[in-house]
């Protein structure tokens, strides 16, 4: 049981840099849940003593927060700075853009520093609060009240969060790789060799197996979702949906295609919406292997975070992804220390899914 108070990390150079709107939301949403410990400067990250943290980022009209940038640098320079912590993120912006991109880079960097995140760990508020329109309508409240309720819900979920574990964990591996030429697949085979005792299911999404989402009307999507299905059916419904429902953890093999996940992986994420509407994935862990020919692995890993952790509610274990660079077929085996990294990642997945 978590007995220490939630710690609020609100990087600011000056107190007045926090918008009046954000101050009011934090006061009304968090006060009933207190007491809290507050941190305002980048160097305060080293003072965190509890294991539950809420990042609160206030952006100016240029989408900038200089103290946040210093904090980001501290996270990236110390890969163990937040080891054992569980976090969430609130980003309050003055414009309609920048909030999601700031949140995504923060979660990516904090995760690499050892912080885990529950499913849907982000509350973002754009300048107009237009992004709360649907939530407010569904709850019968104002946009700002919907904002406050979302912050309170996130804080409560962080405090109550427990990493689910299973006595018989099951890992689902999705890929669209060429077996003989893919460095991403080759690295996975190295990882898999250290996981002989774990139940693993591999599904290939190649050769037109998964059709992309065509954007059916919401009512139609919900109709098929209630049956655990989708209008377009096929392998996604017959094979992938049941495998996702049964797995404890999901591992995506993602070669870097033009600084993006492959079309097949993107189609999987889009088609997952129908199943998500039936049952969110808060109880499932997300992992990734990203191999780039040149650079940009962080961009692809961040796409997994925004698509599957922030939107589809997969939990994000600490150090959820391995990022490597390899170009010519088979050259992944020449990366210094790659065998040790494969063994360590396999052990990490086993530990997360079994809770040991």
């Amino acid at each position: 049981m978590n007995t220490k108070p939630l710690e609020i990390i609100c990087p600011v150079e000056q107190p007045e840099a926090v918008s009046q709107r954000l101050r009011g939301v934090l006061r009304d949403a968090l006060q009933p849940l207190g007491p809290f410990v507050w941190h305002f400067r980048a160097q305060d990250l080293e003072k965190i003593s509890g294991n539950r943290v809420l990042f609160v980022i206030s952006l100016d009209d240029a989408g900038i927060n200089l103290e946040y940038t210093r904090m980001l640098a501290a996270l990236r320079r110390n890969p163990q700075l937040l080891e054992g912590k569980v976090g969430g993120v609130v980003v309050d912006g003055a414009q309609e853009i920048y909030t999601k991109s700031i949140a995504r880079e923060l979660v990516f960097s904090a995760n690499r520093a050892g912080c885990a995140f529950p499913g849907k760990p982000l509350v973002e508020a754009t300048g107009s609060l237009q992004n709360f329109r649907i939530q407010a309508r569904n709850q019968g409240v104002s946009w700002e009240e919907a904002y406050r309720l979302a912050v309170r819900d996130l804080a409560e979920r962080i405090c109550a969060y427990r990493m689910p574990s299973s006595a018989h964990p099951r890992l689902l591996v999705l890929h669209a790789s060429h077996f003989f030429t893919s460095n991403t697949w080759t690295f996975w085979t190295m990882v898999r060799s250290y996981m002989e005792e774990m139940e693993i299911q591999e599904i290939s999404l190649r050769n037109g197996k998964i059709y992309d989402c065509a954007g059916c009307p919401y009512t139609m999507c919900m109709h098929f979702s209630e049956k655990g299905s989708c209008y377009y059916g096929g392998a996604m419904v017959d094979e992938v949906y049941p495998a996702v429902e049964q797995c404890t953890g999901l591992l995506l093999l993602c070669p870097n295609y033009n600084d993006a996940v492959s079309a097949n992986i993107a189609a999987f994420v889009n088609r997952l919406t129908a199943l998500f509407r039936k049952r969110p994935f808060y109880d499932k862990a997300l992992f990734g292997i990203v191999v780039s020919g040149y650079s940009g692995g962080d961009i692809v890993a961040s796409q997994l975070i925004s698509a599957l952790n922030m939107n589809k509610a997969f939990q994000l274990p600490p150090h959820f992804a391995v990022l490597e660079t390899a170009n010519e077929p088979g050259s992944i085996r020449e990366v210094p220390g790659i065998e040790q990294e494969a063994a360590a990642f396999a052990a990490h997945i086993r530990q997360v899914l079994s809770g040991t």
Side-chain angles (χ1 to χ4, degrees), residues 14 42 130 158 219 233 246 250 252 304 328:
Q14 301 293 335
Q130 173 76 12
I158 295 169
T219 53
Q246 295 164 14
L250 171 66
L252 292 177
L304 297 181
E328 294 83 1

Side-chain angles (χ1 to χ4, degrees), residues 86-144:
V86 175
V89 181
V90 176
V91 181
D92 188 281
Q95 294 197 35
E96 301 306 292
I97 55 177
Y98 306 122
T99 51
K100 181 62 71 65
S101 60
I102 289 290
R104 191 164 68 170
E105 72 172 2
L106 172 56
V107 170
F108 172 77
S109 298
N111 181 261
R112 286 178 67 81
C115 189
F117 290 88
K120 288 189 172 292
L122 169 64
V123 174
E124 60 170 328
T126 62
S128 69
L129 290 183
Q130 173 76 12
N131 61 306
F132 279 101
R133 182 174 62 88
I134 301 300
Q135 292 182 51
R137 186 183 66 191
N138 291 342
Q139 298 176 83
V141 299
S142 67
W143 293 0
E144 188 159 321

Side-chain angles (χ1 to χ4, degrees), residues 55-196:
F55 297 93
V56 177
I57 313 298
S58 181
L59 303 178
D60 65 18
D61 58 1
I64 299 296
N65 178 323
L66 293 178
E67 192 62 28
Y68 159 72
T69 302
R70 297 184 185 98
M71 183 187 73
L72 194 66
L75 290 173
R76 292 176 176 178
R77 287 172 176 149
N78 188 340
Q80 283 82 42
L81 190 57
L82 297 180
E83 204 68 53
K85 308 292 190 284
V86 175
V89 181
V90 176
V91 181
D92 188 281
Q95 294 197 35
E96 301 306 292
I97 55 177
Y98 306 122
T99 51
K100 181 62 71 65
S101 60
I102 289 290
R104 191 164 68 170
E105 72 172 2
L106 172 56
V107 170
F108 172 77
S109 298
N111 181 261
R112 286 178 67 81
C115 189
F117 290 88
K120 288 189 172 292
L122 169 64
V123 174
E124 60 170 328
T126 62
S128 69
L129 290 183
Q130 173 76 12
N131 61 306
F132 279 101
R133 182 174 62 88
I134 301 300
Q135 292 182 51
R137 186 183 66 191
N138 291 342
Q139 298 176 83
V141 299
S142 67
W143 293 0
E144 188 159 321
E145 179 62 17
Y147 180 12
R148 284 193 290 268
L149 292 173
V151 172
R152 180 176 296 182
D153 173 72
L154 176 59
E156 290 175 341
R157 288 192 292 112
I158 295 169
C159 292
Y161 179 77
R162 297 292 180 272
M163 181 73 74
S165 60
S166 172
H168 304 285
R170 183 170 186 170
L171 181 67
L172 171 62
V173 181
L174 297 181
H175 69 95
S177 300
H178 293 277
F179 295 127
F180 301 109
T181 60
S182 170
N183 281 306
T184 313
W185 177 262
T186 298
F187 182 69
W188 159 240
T189 64
M190 298 167 67
V191 174
R192 187 181 58 194
S193 69
Y194 294 98
M195 305 177 71
E196 294 180 355

Side-chain angles (χ1 to χ4, degrees), residues 183-252:
N183 281 306
T184 313
W185 177 262
T186 298
F187 182 69
W188 159 240
T189 64
M190 298 167 67
V191 174
R192 187 181 58 194
S193 69
Y194 294 98
M195 305 177 71
E196 294 180 355
E197 75 288 357
M198 179 172 286
E199 184 177 355
I200 298 172
Q201 181 179 7
E202 297 170 350
I203 298 179
S204 172
L205 306 179
R206 283 178 52 77
N207 301 323
K209 200 171 188 178
I210 305 296
Y211 296 103
D212 203 351
C213 177
C216 291
Y218 177 79
T219 53
M220 181 184 292
C221 187
M222 283 300 299
H223 171 74
F224 284 93
S225 173
E226 290 170 358
K227 303 176 182 179
S229 185
C230 170
Y231 176 79
Y232 289 93
M236 188 71 185
V237 171
D238 298 336
E239 187 176 3
V240 179
Y241 277 6
V244 171
E245 288 193 281
Q246 295 164 14
C247 76
T248 315
L250 171 66
L251 171 61
L252 292 177

